[in-house]
Amino acid sequence: MASTSDIRNGLCIKYNHDIYKIIEFLHVKPGKGPAFVRTKLKSLTNGKVLDNTFSAGHKIEEVRVETHTFQYLYSEGDQFHFMNVESYEQITLDKKILDAPDLLKEGTNVMVQINTETELPLSVDMPASIVLEVTYAEPGVKGNTATNATKPAKVETGASVNVPLFINEGDKIKIDTATGSYMERVKE
């Protein structure tokens, strides 16, 4: 049993007969009254996110997990296939477990958290950013870099991303996987 002082981002806990992953937390010590921890929990079975407040010292049941590096191979409909880079064991995960499935490029390494009790995968952590090639974008106009105007562009995985006006087809861009937003153009 852990307590609220052990709460950190990425911690997996059992709560309300389900397994949740802590996405955000904030320790709050008001001037009047007892301290508490405000958390944002993501269900690892259905993907729903809920806000919850634990009082200070509250006991929480921790789920023991192991983290392994897996490489994304391919997808078939809503099923995504991954391979463990150490043991070459392959697993298939459902699309709802993934945070940004439309940004996954074949060959990308991800971190998969596996429940040690049941040996079932719980969640997939994408890299912080990913570099993808733009496959379709309206033609860019020279000199349109002063404003923050954006246009939609399609990347090689099929995802649509808003990019600045100067981005053209064939450019490689860095995308933040947490928000799905454009970060910068990559020169190679």
Side-chain angles (χ1 to χ4, degrees), residues 2-183:
S3 70
T4 53
S5 62
D6 300 319
I7 288 180
R8 63 188 182 281
N9 286 341
L11 180 71
C12 294
I13 62 171
K14 285 184 183 173
Y15 178 70
N16 281 354
H17 310 292
D18 199 359
I19 298 177
Y20 288 90
K21 181 178 180 180
I22 295 175
I23 300 172
E24 292 178 17
F25 74 97
L26 177 67
H27 286 277
V28 180
K29 178 131 176 56
K32 185 177 183 181
F36 57 91
V37 180
R38 193 175 291 135
T39 60
K40 189 174 278 192
L41 306 171
K42 180 179 180 183
S43 171
L44 297 179
T45 54
N46 59 24
K48 292 183 180 174
V49 176
L50 65 102
D51 293 321
N52 189 47
T53 302
F54 294 105
S55 58
H58 182 84
K59 297 291 183 202
I60 53 176
E61 191 173 347
E62 197 174 347
V63 176
R64 293 190 43 96
V65 295
E66 289 180 352
T67 304
H68 297 284
T69 304
F70 279 78
Q71 185 179 44
Y72 170 61
L73 299 175
Y74 62 95
S75 66
E76 289 178 327
D78 285 350
Q79 301 297 314
F80 286 73
H81 299 270
F82 295 88
M83 177 186 68
N84 188 325
V85 296
E86 295 158 3
S87 67
Y88 304 111
E89 167 193 354
Q90 292 189 17
I91 60 171
T92 303
L93 300 176
D94 198 62
K95 185 177 185 174
K96 67 181 179 183
I97 292 180
L98 305 171
D99 292 331
D102 53 341
L103 294 177
L104 263 178
K105 179 180 174 183
E106 292 178 2
T108 303
N109 284 346
V110 297
M111 302 304 285
V112 177
Q113 292 183 333
I114 298 173
N115 187 341
T116 56
E117 295 170 12
T118 61
E119 295 295 324
L120 294 174
L122 293 175
S123 71
V124 177
D125 293 332
M126 298 272 293
S129 63
I130 191 164
V131 176
L132 297 173
E133 185 176 336
V134 176
T135 57
Y136 174 77
E138 296 291 326
V141 180
K142 201 171 190 102
N144 274 345
T145 58
T147 63
N148 284 338
T150 60
K151 63 182 179 183
K154 284 255 191 244
V155 292
E156 60 188 294
T157 60
S160 183
V161 179
N162 283 334
V163 297
L165 297 174
F166 59 84
I167 299 292
N168 294 312
E169 285 184 26
D171 287 349
K172 292 197 182 292
I173 59 173
K174 186 184 276 190
I175 301 170
D176 182 358
T177 57
T179 61
S181 60
Y182 167 86
M183 292 173 71

